[in-house]
Amino acid sequence: MQKMHRRGYNIQNGNVAVVVLPNILSLLDANNRFRLRNAFLNCIEQLHDFAKCHKRICIDFSSTKYVYSQAMLLLYAELHNLKNIYPKIKFTCKKSRELRINHVLLQLDLFTFFNTHYSKIKSFNNVDNWKTSSGKYAIADNYLDILPENYLLNKEISEDLYAACNEATINSKDHAYIAERALSKVDFNKEAWWGFSEETDDYLSVSICDLGVGIPATIPSTNKDFWEKFKELFDAENHAEIIARAIERYESRTKEGHRGNGLKTIANFAKKNNNISLSIYSYKGFVGIENQEIKKVNCKKAMQGTIISWKIMKNGVTENEK
Amino acid sequence: MKNNTHIISISSDFSKFPGGRYDNDGPNNAQRFKREVLLPALDQYEFIEIDFEGIAGVGSSFLEETFGGLIRDNGFSADEIYRRIKFKTRQGRIDEIKSYIDDAQKVKEKKRIM
């Protein structure tokens, strides 16, 4: 006997709560109509609702046919955080009908997380190169989890990527959790950030995710005039503009003049090299930088956290072509 | 009279993965680098060369806290740092370090005037 909830999830037999994921997991729709984003973020909210009152939660991937890496990273982070704060919850999953999606779950070690057996039937080259990491401190030697030491980026790009990841993880632990977010709390003393890398024949993508209040809510008030402009934008829910301006002129929330270079480091890595693009998803805002051009999108539904993602086209930045 | 010159290799003498500003940023933070590697060397040697070869990279927080922090917290002046410390790394990173040293010096002088 199943009961269908108005928001689209099922509760089976009264004790296993099932979150049915949509067919595409994405944080941004190509046409900016936000249907995919809203559907995915609704599922994240359902997951949190269930975690408060259920001991068994099933994540149903059966309809999922395609996952964008940023959405997968957010889901991965949310699941691991929920496990941190509700260790008694038993998470299970329903496998996808798509072998590629199951390969993603296997590669991210989520079948172990779900205590579900899966034997790989078919290998997908790109998925074999998906890697994850997490931490409560700034990224250091755990950087090797997402980018092996023998990776063949040229030296300057490689060092700048590490520096950008380092700053992103410092921002996560220092700034992201200054206030409580709308969803379940985050045990940032266990894990404050989650990292992800994806390598294809053409590019390397590296992302850092936190589950905090988002960049727009952490913008400082050191300069009153500056802050007033931010405040207007915040009230108008123009979060993309806030993120874009924060990149241009970030003033540390800590009010210590020597701090606050992190976001610049994160952005400059992409700004100074046309082979590198940057995507920032934070609360309701999205900012992308590619070939010196900046794209801003304001979304209707907020994500509770921030994902910073760099995409490095291999052509021209590797020591040796792979 | 101090011994003359000492070379600090960040990767060999500290970590291949430096990062963060304070102790609560992780084990390879700038304050620990200063406390355990740089300041003892500055006590013992007149001239220091800091070699960045072999590290995975280094973020702005680490660089600012290390070199701006020498002025802010350890009584050094920009002139003394430039006279005693040389950097073996790419020019862009040297320029970045110098900007942190100069900024910290400006703040220090501004505070002195006030």
Side-chain angles (χ1 to χ4, degrees):
Chain A
M1 184 72 182
Q2 289 190 352
K3 187 172 84 179
M4 183 66 82
H5 190 278
R6 63 184 166 82
R7 284 163 69 188
Y9 56 70
N10 303 317
I11 299 174
Q12 298 176 332
N13 301 326
N15 60 359
V16 180
V18 183
V19 177
V20 182
L21 292 173
N23 57 351
I24 298 174
L25 308 190
S26 173
L27 286 171
L28 204 64
D29 298 31
N31 56 13
N32 293 346
R33 286 163 66 187
F34 311 122
R35 186 178 59 83
L36 298 179
R37 177 184 170 98
N38 292 351
F40 174 62
L41 292 178
N42 279 340
C43 287
I44 297 289
E45 287 178 8
Q46 288 161 14
L47 182 57
H48 282 266
D49 287 345
F50 285 155
K52 289 173 190 163
C53 53
H54 287 270
K55 292 277 185 284
R56 295 176 69 191
I57 298 175
C58 175
I59 311 297
D60 184 348
F61 289 90
S62 60
S63 304
T64 304
K65 293 178 178 166
Y66 197 89
V67 293
Y68 286 89
S69 57
Q70 288 84 4
M72 196 65 217
L73 176 59
L74 183 68
L75 177 63
Y76 180 90
E78 293 283 8
L79 284 168
H80 281 80
N81 179 59
L82 284 172
K83 194 70 181 171
N84 287 339
I85 57 175
Y86 300 111
K88 288 184 179 170
I89 292 180
K90 187 179 176 193
F91 287 96
T92 58
C93 77
K94 193 170 177 188
K95 293 167 201 162
S96 171
R97 295 187 201 102
E98 296 286 329
L99 293 179
R100 188 177 184 279
I101 300 300
N102 291 332
H103 191 183
V104 167
L105 301 181
L106 183 71
Q107 184 65 22
L108 301 184
D109 213 19
L110 280 171
F111 281 126
T112 307
F113 180 92
F114 293 127
N115 202 21
T116 299
H117 175 73
Y118 178 74
S119 297
K120 186 161 65 176
I121 298 166
K122 184 181 172 188
S123 194
F124 295 81
N125 287 341
N126 289 351
V127 179
D128 276 332
N129 296 318
W130 285 33
K131 297 182 174 65
T132 57
S133 182
S134 67
K136 61 177 180 175
Y137 296 125
I139 200 166
D141 46 358
N142 46 354
Y143 183 67
L144 294 175
D145 295 342
I146 51 174
L147 208 65
E149 205 163 11
N150 59 358
Y151 196 80
L152 297 174
L153 283 174
N154 81 34
K155 191 178 175 205
E156 186 166 339
I157 297 287
S158 176
E159 289 187 1
D160 286 352
L161 176 60
Y162 172 81
C165 288
N166 195 260
E167 294 300 327
T169 52
I170 291 170
N171 278 357
S172 294
K173 62 174 280 303
D174 284 352
H175 303 306
Y177 305 107
I178 57 167
E180 283 190 16
R181 63 182 194 148
L183 299 176
S184 310
K185 66 179 181 179
V186 178
D187 190 348
F188 50 84
N189 290 317
K190 283 188 178 165
E191 290 177 298
W193 57 264
W194 291 262
F196 175 84
S197 70
E198 173 192 16
E199 185 191 358
T200 71
D201 290 339
D202 300 323
Y203 66 82
L204 168 72
S205 170
V206 176
S207 304
I208 301 293
C209 169
D210 69 57
L211 301 178
V213 292
I215 293 170
T218 60
I219 294 300
S221 55
T222 49
N223 179 318
K224 199 173 176 228
D225 294 338
F226 194 47
W227 174 240
E228 285 302 316
K229 287 174 190 165
F230 270 138
K231 200 162 171 282
E232 283 174 21
L233 292 168
F234 194 88
D235 293 343
E237 299 199 328
N238 192 350
H239 294 168
E241 187 64 33
I242 296 176
I243 296 165
R245 291 198 194 182
I247 291 170
E248 290 300 321
R249 183 187 170 180
Y250 187 76
E251 298 200 23
S252 174
R253 185 188 57 78
T254 60
K255 298 186 182 178
E256 292 177 51
H258 56 281
R259 300 186 63 181
N261 293 303
L263 206 48
K264 278 184 193 165
T265 304
I266 288 162
N268 283 345
F269 176 51
K271 277 180 167 179
K272 70 181 187 184
N273 195 322
N274 282 345
N275 288 312
I276 302 168
S277 59
L278 169 71
S279 302
I280 300 178
Y281 305 77
S282 191
Y283 205 61
K284 292 184 180 178
F286 167 82
V287 170
I289 298 175
E290 188 168 8
N291 293 327
Q292 316 291 331
E293 287 186 16
I294 188 160
K295 179 184 177 186
K296 302 168 203 168
V297 178
N298 285 304
C299 307
K300 289 181 177 168
K301 194 167 184 65
M303 63 177 273
Q304 304 289 316
T306 296
I307 295 176
I308 295 173
S309 188
W310 302 270
K311 187 174 180 181
I312 302 161
M313 303 310 294
K314 285 184 176 175
N315 183 24
V317 298
T318 48
E319 290 286 9
N320 300 295
E321 294 304 322
K322 285 195 161 182
Chain B
M1 182 70 182
K2 288 179 181 177
N3 292 322
N4 206 6
T5 301
H6 177 66
I7 297 172
I8 293 172
S9 162
I10 297 178
S11 66
S12 304
D13 299 331
F14 184 64
S15 171
K16 286 176 74 172
F17 299 95
R21 192 178 280 275
Y22 307 123
D23 288 333
N24 65 8
D25 286 338
N28 306 334
N29 66 84
Q31 291 199 331
R32 187 171 83 84
F33 173 68
K34 264 199 317 179
R35 192 170 61 237
E36 295 182 8
V37 180
L38 183 55
L39 289 171
L42 284 164
D43 269 349
Q44 197 175 344
Y45 300 95
E46 182 62 22
F47 301 109
I48 305 288
E49 183 176 284
I50 301 179
D51 186 355
F52 288 75
E53 186 61 37
I55 57 170
V58 61
S60 55
S61 314
F62 184 93
L63 294 175
E64 201 291 326
E65 186 62 30
T66 300
F67 300 106
L70 281 178
I71 294 171
R72 204 164 40 247
D73 304 322
N74 303 104
F76 284 79
S77 67
D79 286 345
E80 186 180 3
I81 294 173
Y82 289 137
R83 186 177 67 78
R84 294 183 62 193
I85 300 178
K86 296 279 179 277
F87 306 101
K88 190 177 175 186
T89 187
R90 58 180 143 109
Q91 190 57 44
R93 185 174 287 143
I94 293 174
D95 294 341
E96 185 184 357
I97 292 168
K98 285 182 172 174
S99 75
Y100 300 138
I101 293 170
D102 293 343
D103 286 350
Q105 183 65 36
K106 278 180 202 158
V107 171
K108 191 176 182 180
E109 283 166 11
K110 201 173 169 185
K111 279 183 181 169
R112 196 179 295 151
I113 292 166
M114 287 167 71

